Amino acid sequence: MKSLVFSIDELYKCSTQSERRNLGLTEEKFKEKTQLLVDSLLNNTYVFSFKQCGKIFINSHTDKINYLFQNLVLRKIYRNIETIYKLTQSNRDKIISQIEILLKEKCPYWILKLDIKSFYESIDKQKIIDDLKKGYRLNSQTLNLVENVLNNSSLSSVSGLPRGLCISSIMSEQYLKKFDLEIKRIDGVYYYARFVDDIIIFCISEKARNETENKIGLLFNDLKLRVNTKKIQKWDLNSSDSLSYLGYEFKHDGNDLLITIALKKINKIKTRIVKSFLNFSKDQDFQLLKKRIKFLTGNMVLCEKKKLSHILVGIHYNYKKITDLGALSELDDFYRNILKCRVGKLGSCLKASISRRQRKELFKYSFKFGFEKKVRHYFSSNDVTEITRCWQ
């Protein structure tokens, strides 16, 4: 069984090689630098430090060792809860593959799709603390640290779980574990999936779907959660409109099933393209503009720090299940039209600020090419912060 203790050795295991290398930390130096901090954990005197950036809370330690140490403690809390309660977060690609198989079946289905309104903010954090204590499964050190994080004065502005902290995701899974089981047990439900706050349910009849919707309302009342009524969608074999879920759009085309990028995501990418060019017209930083276009049209590797594993993201890996590439062509046309534009507010700004050579260089990038060839770029964490700043 994995150790739940927050020892130097256990925290060292939660760090990545690149983090240690960037701070010049050998195993011996790591132990030397973090000894006092580990002692403060044992004495229950360690103080977490967070700051709010928009809706997200982030580590606010300015000292590099303290910054790393707090991240490691949060990762260790995540691992302990995940291990003890055998929790696994849903795999988006697996869900989409399962939905594709079900939608291609010729048997009747009635689908209910919904999401939870203000998900993290609505979760009762005191109930989570109480439930974890009542479970008698976590060690006292983990329980104390969870309580210290959730009751931290810098998080007082949020009533539920703070967005941005890795432990919020695993605690939300624990909070909804019983709910997930209850929905799966409903007569007439033969497929259920939840990805964070997005829920999709396949039922054997319209009656079963209506009963399931009513049951969800009752269960949510007990959990103090609410359905986002504006986003409820019902779909069946005879639906002529499309079904949107997890960034994908499913549509019947005769006997075929077309899968493409959801319209909401397409519009979001278009907005980011426009904002990138508008920002360039102000700061004249062509290299930054080029990074933003490469980021949008390509792919990159991210380190998922709470699990210390690498994940691939980008235009291919975010939408690799699509069967209809029309959305990619639409994005390419939109991007190229901006590059060619000479009139209007944006066109006039670009005409004065971007050279012919720079336009030619930007014409090399393509959403369709980045998708089909799985074009991969490298961006540092600082690059990502700089690239995404103008999209907020």
Side-chain angles (χ1 to χ4, degrees):
M1 182 176 176
K2 293 182 180 179
S3 172
L4 302 183
V5 178
F6 288 73
S7 64
I8 289 180
D9 289 336
E10 286 297 312
L11 292 174
Y12 180 83
K13 293 175 185 177
C14 290
S15 65
T16 65
Q17 185 178 17
S18 60
E19 286 174 327
R20 298 192 298 270
R21 183 174 60 244
N22 290 340
L23 294 179
L25 296 175
T26 61
E27 187 171 355
E28 291 72 22
K29 283 188 176 181
F30 178 90
K31 292 179 179 180
E32 178 187 334
K33 295 278 187 180
T34 59
Q35 183 62 62
L36 288 177
L37 293 168
V38 171
D39 290 342
S40 70
L41 285 180
L42 295 173
N43 297 329
N44 202 27
T45 58
Y46 181 77
V47 179
F48 291 93
S49 179
F50 305 103
K51 67 178 179 180
Q52 189 170 3
C53 295
K55 293 182 178 181
I56 296 175
F57 291 87
I58 61 174
N59 188 334
S60 62
H61 280 293
T62 53
D63 177 78
K64 291 181 178 179
I65 293 296
N66 282 281
Y67 181 89
L68 173 62
F69 187 80
Q70 178 168 295
N71 284 347
L72 300 183
V73 173
L74 292 174
R75 289 176 207 169
K76 180 60 178 169
I77 295 172
Y78 181 104
R79 284 184 171 187
N80 286 357
I81 296 174
E82 181 184 44
T83 300
I84 288 299
Y85 287 96
K86 296 180 172 58
L87 298 171
T88 55
Q89 288 190 285
S90 301
N91 183 292
R92 177 174 174 261
D93 289 338
K94 183 178 180 181
I95 291 173
I96 295 301
S97 294
Q98 291 169 339
I99 291 173
E100 180 183 9
I101 292 170
L102 291 171
L103 291 178
K104 285 181 176 179
E105 294 290 331
K106 299 305 178 183
C107 59
Y109 48 73
W110 281 261
I111 299 172
L112 176 65
K113 193 210 81 171
L114 50 87
D115 68 35
I116 305 169
K117 189 172 185 177
S118 303
F119 179 47
Y120 283 116
E121 293 80 4
S122 299
I123 291 176
D124 188 340
K125 60 184 176 184
Q126 188 56 50
K127 187 177 187 306
I128 286 183
I129 293 171
D130 293 341
D131 287 346
L132 291 176
K133 286 181 177 179
K134 289 175 184 176
Y136 299 107
R137 300 174 70 179
L138 287 171
N139 62 341
S140 59
Q141 192 178 26
T142 303
L143 290 170
N144 288 335
L145 289 170
V146 167
E147 197 163 8
N148 287 345
V149 171
L150 296 184
N151 291 329
N152 187 278
S153 59
S154 58
L155 303 178
S156 59
S157 62
V158 61
S159 57
L161 295 177
R163 290 181 182 269
L165 305 190
C166 65
I167 61 171
S168 292
S169 61
I170 200 66
M171 286 192 290
S172 69
E173 292 300 312
Q174 171 63 12
Y175 191 74
L176 286 180
K177 187 175 182 179
K178 185 177 178 181
F179 168 83
D180 293 337
L181 291 173
E182 289 287 341
I183 299 301
K184 291 176 182 178
R185 290 171 180 164
I186 295 176
D187 287 340
V189 170
Y190 66 91
Y191 178 78
Y192 167 84
R194 178 179 59 81
F195 187 81
V196 190
D197 58 348
D198 288 307
I199 296 170
I200 191 165
I201 305 167
F202 283 66
C203 301
I204 62 172
S205 67
E206 187 174 8
K207 180 183 177 182
R209 183 174 65 187
N210 293 336
E211 290 175 350
T212 300
E213 187 175 4
N214 292 333
K215 177 71 172 179
I216 288 173
L218 295 173
L219 291 171
F220 274 2
N221 284 337
D222 293 339
L223 292 169
K224 300 179 183 179
L225 298 176
R226 290 177 296 161
V227 174
N228 191 335
T229 55
K230 293 181 180 179
K231 294 185 178 181
I232 293 176
Q233 188 177 2
K234 297 178 181 180
W235 211 63
D236 57 52
L237 190 60
N238 299 316
S239 297
S240 57
D241 55 346
S242 58
L243 172 70
S244 178
Y245 190 65
L246 299 185
Y248 287 92
E249 197 160 282
F250 305 87
K251 189 175 180 64
H252 296 305
D253 182 25
N255 293 324
D256 296 325
L257 177 71
L258 298 181
I259 307 175
T260 187
I261 303 173
L263 180 60
K264 183 179 178 180
K265 296 297 182 182
I266 294 172
N267 290 335
K268 185 176 182 179
I269 294 171
K270 288 180 178 179
T271 299
R272 288 182 170 181
I273 294 172
V274 172
K275 285 185 175 181
S276 298
F277 280 104
L278 284 173
N279 198 76
F280 169 73
S281 68
K282 297 173 184 177
D283 64 22
Q284 301 292 299
D285 190 337
F286 180 72
Q287 292 306 314
L288 179 54
L289 172 63
K290 193 163 71 168
K291 284 181 182 179
R292 286 176 172 142
I293 299 304
K294 290 166 70 174
F295 187 95
L296 291 170
T297 59
N299 305 277
M300 61 179 289
V301 178
L302 286 180
C303 178
E304 194 175 13
K305 292 181 179 179
K306 61 178 179 282
K307 294 185 179 179
L308 308 184
S309 59
H310 289 87
I311 55 175
L312 292 163
V313 297
I315 196 64
H316 174 83
Y317 296 100
N318 289 353
Y319 305 107
K320 58 186 176 184
K321 300 295 182 180
I322 64 174
T323 59
D324 179 3
L325 305 187
L328 299 172
S329 298
E330 180 183 341
L331 287 170
D332 277 336
D333 290 341
F334 181 83
Y335 169 61
R336 288 168 184 153
N337 285 337
I338 290 179
L339 279 176
K340 295 175 184 176
C341 186
R342 299 290 192 278
V343 297
K345 182 179 179 180
L346 179 57
S348 299
C349 289
L350 293 180
K351 184 178 180 180
S353 59
I354 192 167
S355 68
R356 181 179 296 180
R357 179 190 61 78
Q358 289 172 333
R359 287 181 193 270
K360 185 177 180 181
E361 191 169 349
L362 291 176
F363 264 112
K364 295 187 299 184
Y365 301 105
S366 159
F367 287 91
K368 193 172 183 180
F369 186 83
F371 177 87
E372 293 180 329
K373 302 300 181 182
K374 304 178 187 177
V375 175
R376 196 181 300 181
H377 305 291
Y378 171 78
F379 299 106
S380 67
S381 57
N382 289 335
D383 284 336
V384 174
T385 301
E386 190 177 27
I387 286 167
T388 58
R389 185 176 292 118
C390 78
W391 299 338
Q392 306 302 321

